[in-house]
Amino acid sequence: MAQQTIPPHVLIFPFPVQGHVTTMLKLSELFCLAGIHVTYLISTQNYTRLVRCTNVLSRLSPYPGFRFQVLPESVSDGNAQSMDLVMNLFESLKTAKTFFKDLLIGEAQKPVTCIISDGLMSFTLDLGEEIGIPIIYFRTISSCSFWAYFCMPKLVEAGELPLKGDDMDVLIKNVPGMECFLRQRDLPSLCRVSDLNNSTFTMISSETHQTVRARALILNTFEDLEGPILSQIRTEFPNTYTIGPLHAHLKARLDGKTASQLASSNSLWEEDKSCIKWLDNQPLKSVVYVSFGSIAMVTREQLVEFWHGLVNSGIRFLWVIRPDSVTDEEMGSEIQAELEKATKARGYMVEWAPQEAVLAHQAVGGFLTHSGWNSTLESIFEGVPMICWPYFADQQINSRFVGEVWKVGLDIKDTCDRVVIEKAVKDMMEVRKEEFVESADQIAKMARKSVGEGGSSYCNLNRLIEDIMLMTVGGITP
Ligand code: UDX
């Protein structure tokens, strides 16, 4: 009997913060290109900001099968910052459970054939199982951090957690594949706990363990970058699709499409494009780009240390300072005047930059980053060496891989000192420049290969699409 021909309909549910929203929207576009219908769940706040700051509606209009579905207003961060924000959102998402269920059973015309849910929201697994819709988990973080989160119960069992003593350089032995280089200080910040009842620790550890219930796992990485860790992950999750770096994968598959479709910004802040003009006037690879992503906060004191470090290095810099990212009191006006003078001479500051374009710009020679996974992948793809100042979550382990495994930069975690920053900037941009550029170039080549036709991520995405096609109503595999 002939199979019916209703296109597959995937419901995509990201955790509602910038790094997750952008990655899962890129995956949605890739699905649309393959003819899969997509409903994308988004919080009211993020929808308003996304529409205001980007061309997302016109960009996605060529895909009739795509639609945004706004979540109830109760899904909100409560205007808290950093980890509070994440925990507030995590709690508020649970209020969307009934809404989500109604959405799943109410789509009679175009039934949902697969749910792709951010791997932090196990209530989606409960509902998928209850209603009988296959769920694939998408962890938008690095594979190394996912694997470390998954191994936390082993660390507890072996007595490595809670952390003991003050020596953060002690090696951790119970994350298979990382025994030789993972120190206590490199554990994801949510796991660097002295109390096992810590609420963020229990949340991340138990949510990660729920992944075993998902039909498959998607990771935004590529085989040549995290191969040894992926082999470990596949011992627990054999059906793992590595399809990254997604931002580049989308661009590769959009090849030949219109400029408006290619400009795939998913920013929740207005991009200040004047910095590209400024970069156009700077010498080749002369600028260090500084950005700490969408969640990290710095104190005034830390800001001043970074500022002095950058100014004292004598290197040109482009610095993103989000308006909501600096805590506590004003600094003295004399300090500010002195730093501003030096900044006018060789620096440029914006509130939000078109980061992918900045990292691809020929004037950029290095990236001082918080090691968020998207930023790390974007830098790796462009062959830009990094100085890592991880803030929270997966960033502590990402930065260890940057410094110790991939050797494409320096990890300055747990310090914030102008002298250290100045030295790191000079090392990256001058003293050790060749060494870093050489390894960054090699990895960038592998990244490009992975998303090109026949590359590992390219083939894995095709396999994922084929598997989703098989989940079409009437064709759900048991
Ligand atoms: C968070 C976590 O911090 C990160 O570690 C996790 O992997 C995903 O969620 P965030 O802190 O925002 O994300 O960092 P990151 O993952 O690097 O994502 C930031 C995104 O914003 C990047 O895609 C980057 O290109 C974009 N960005 C950042 C801009 O477009 N302009 C900017 O000025 C700064």
Side-chain angles (χ1 to χ4, degrees):
M1 206 172 82
Q3 283 276 335
Q4 49 80 43
T5 54
I6 304 172
H9 177 196
V10 179
L11 194 71
I12 298 206
F13 197 167
F15 193 78
V17 293
Q18 175 76 74
H20 298 233
V21 166
T22 195
T23 313
M24 288 178 85
L25 202 43
K26 286 182 190 217
L27 179 63
S28 305
E29 286 191 62
L30 283 162
F31 283 161
C32 289
L33 285 170
I36 295 174
H37 286 196
V38 172
T39 297
Y40 183 93
L41 293 179
I42 185 162
S43 68
T44 318
Q45 263 172 335
N46 286 346
Y47 181 72
T48 311
R49 291 171 65 186
L50 191 64
V51 169
R52 194 180 63 227
C53 300
T54 70
N55 68 350
V56 70
L57 294 183
S58 61
R59 195 176 84 228
L60 296 177
S61 63
Y63 308 119
F66 178 88
R67 78 177 170 102
F68 281 111
Q69 173 63 58
V70 175
L71 288 161
E73 296 224 359
S74 55
V75 175
S76 148
D77 59 32
N79 291 324
Q81 279 304 332
S82 52
M83 200 54 219
D84 288 344
L85 172 148
V86 175
M87 287 307 278
N88 285 352
L89 275 174
F90 179 72
E91 288 306 322
S92 77
L93 274 165
K94 294 178 187 161
T95 64
K97 198 168 172 173
T98 314
F99 174 87
F100 186 57
K101 183 173 182 181
D102 291 347
L103 192 67
L104 290 175
I105 50 184
E107 295 271 334
Q109 298 302 315
K110 210 167 89 174
V112 173
T113 51
C114 172
I115 301 165
I116 297 194
S117 162
D118 211 309
L120 271 179
M121 303 186 300
S122 53
F123 71 87
T124 58
L125 285 169
D126 300 339
L127 291 174
E129 282 165 5
E130 187 186 323
I131 301 167
I133 302 176
I135 292 226
I136 299 178
Y137 251 15
F138 184 178
R139 282 311 283 262
T140 59
I141 52 176
S142 55
S143 306
C144 57
S145 60
F146 169 75
W147 182 235
Y149 284 142
F150 188 77
C151 294
M152 283 310 125
K154 274 195 201 158
L155 271 69
V156 172
E157 206 179 305
E160 293 194 288
L161 278 182
L163 298 181
K164 289 180 197 72
D166 294 332
D167 185 0
M168 292 296 279
D169 291 327
V170 167
L171 284 178
I172 291 286
K173 294 286 178 200
N174 283 282
V175 183
M178 303 185 199
E179 299 87 343
C180 302
F181 58 85
L182 192 75
R183 304 160 302 177
Q184 290 198 155
R185 71 171 72 255
D186 306 316
L187 286 173
S189 69
L190 313 184
C191 307
R192 282 166 54 163
V193 290
S194 50
D195 173 8
L196 294 181
N197 295 318
N198 177 294
S199 59
T200 49
F201 173 71
T202 49
M203 181 276 277
I204 200 74
S205 184
S206 65
E207 284 293 327
T208 301
H209 256 263
Q210 300 295 321
T211 312
V212 294
R213 291 165 59 197
R215 176 174 289 224
L217 173 66
I218 302 172
L219 292 167
N220 184 15
T221 190
F222 56 103
E223 297 291 325
D224 283 336
L225 186 69
E226 295 194 276
I229 300 306
L230 288 163
S231 304
Q232 300 286 347
I233 290 177
R234 288 194 173 100
T235 61
E236 300 283 343
F237 307 99
N239 202 10
T240 294
Y241 306 89
T242 53
I243 58 171
L246 263 177
H247 72 289
H249 204 160
L250 176 62
K251 281 199 183 119
R253 297 222 182 190
L254 278 171
D255 196 21
K257 291 283 185 302
T258 64
S260 111
Q261 276 177 291
L262 275 169
S264 63
S265 161
N266 297 324
S267 280
L268 301 176
W269 282 263
E270 193 94 49
E271 290 174 345
D272 184 343
K273 297 198 172 72
S274 67
C275 61
I276 298 291
K277 282 210 182 79
W278 181 81
L279 284 173
D280 288 343
N281 292 318
Q282 309 307 317
L284 193 70
K285 293 200 183 300
S286 66
V287 175
V288 56
Y289 169 59
V290 187
S291 164
F292 301 132
S294 66
I295 301 175
M297 306 282 291
V298 290
T299 62
R300 271 297 149 188
E301 207 184 328
Q302 289 170 329
L303 181 95
V304 170
E305 289 306 305
F306 277 115
W307 209 345
H308 277 291
L310 285 165
V311 163
N312 295 346
S313 74
I315 304 281
R316 293 158 207 253
F317 60 92
L318 165 60
W319 191 355
V320 176
I321 304 185
R322 282 188 348 263
D324 58 351
S325 68
V326 186
T327 59
D328 53 56
E329 77 291 343
E330 292 295 312
M331 68 183 101
S333 54
E334 350 49 268
I335 308 179
Q336 178 122 9
E338 178 204 326
L339 290 168
E340 275 175 358
K341 195 167 153 224
T343 303
K344 271 200 191 95
R346 56 180 176 278
Y348 198 78
M349 287 179 175
V350 291
E351 294 189 348
W352 191 256
Q355 181 165 303
E356 286 179 35
V358 166
L359 287 168
H361 198 286
Q362 56 175 13
V364 172
F367 185 11
L368 170 49
T369 172
H370 70 312
S371 300
W373 187 235
N374 293 295
S375 296
T376 305
L377 280 178
E378 289 159 13
S379 204
I380 281 178
F381 189 79
E382 298 301 341
V384 175
M386 287 167 263
I387 297 170
C388 304
W389 187 71
Y391 176 71
F392 84 145
D394 54 330
Q395 298 154 15
Q396 273 74 15
I397 189 164
N398 297 344
S399 63
R400 185 61 170 166
F401 273 71
V402 166
E404 194 60 26
V405 180
W406 306 319
K407 301 196 187 298
V408 289
L410 298 160
D411 182 4
I412 58 164
K413 67 162 64 80
D414 300 335
T415 58
C416 190
D417 175 289
R418 64 187 72 181
V419 177
V420 173
I421 294 158
E422 176 189 340
K423 180 171 183 321
V425 172
K426 283 182 177 157
D427 279 352
M428 176 176 66
M429 300 295 286
E430 292 171 349
V431 184
R432 298 177 61 188
K433 182 178 168 174
E434 274 180 29
E435 159 197 345
F436 289 134
V437 167
E438 198 181 311
S439 22
D441 274 350
Q442 272 178 16
I443 299 189
K445 275 195 197 107
M446 294 182 206
R448 274 195 285 278
K449 197 169 146 223
S450 74
V451 295
E453 206 170 331
S456 58
S457 295
Y458 185 93
C459 295
N460 286 341
L461 179 63
N462 285 353
R463 187 166 62 84
L464 172 64
I465 290 168
E466 280 161 22
D467 290 350
I468 288 175
M469 295 286 185
L470 284 178
M471 293 172 193
T472 308
V473 175
I476 294 179
T477 47

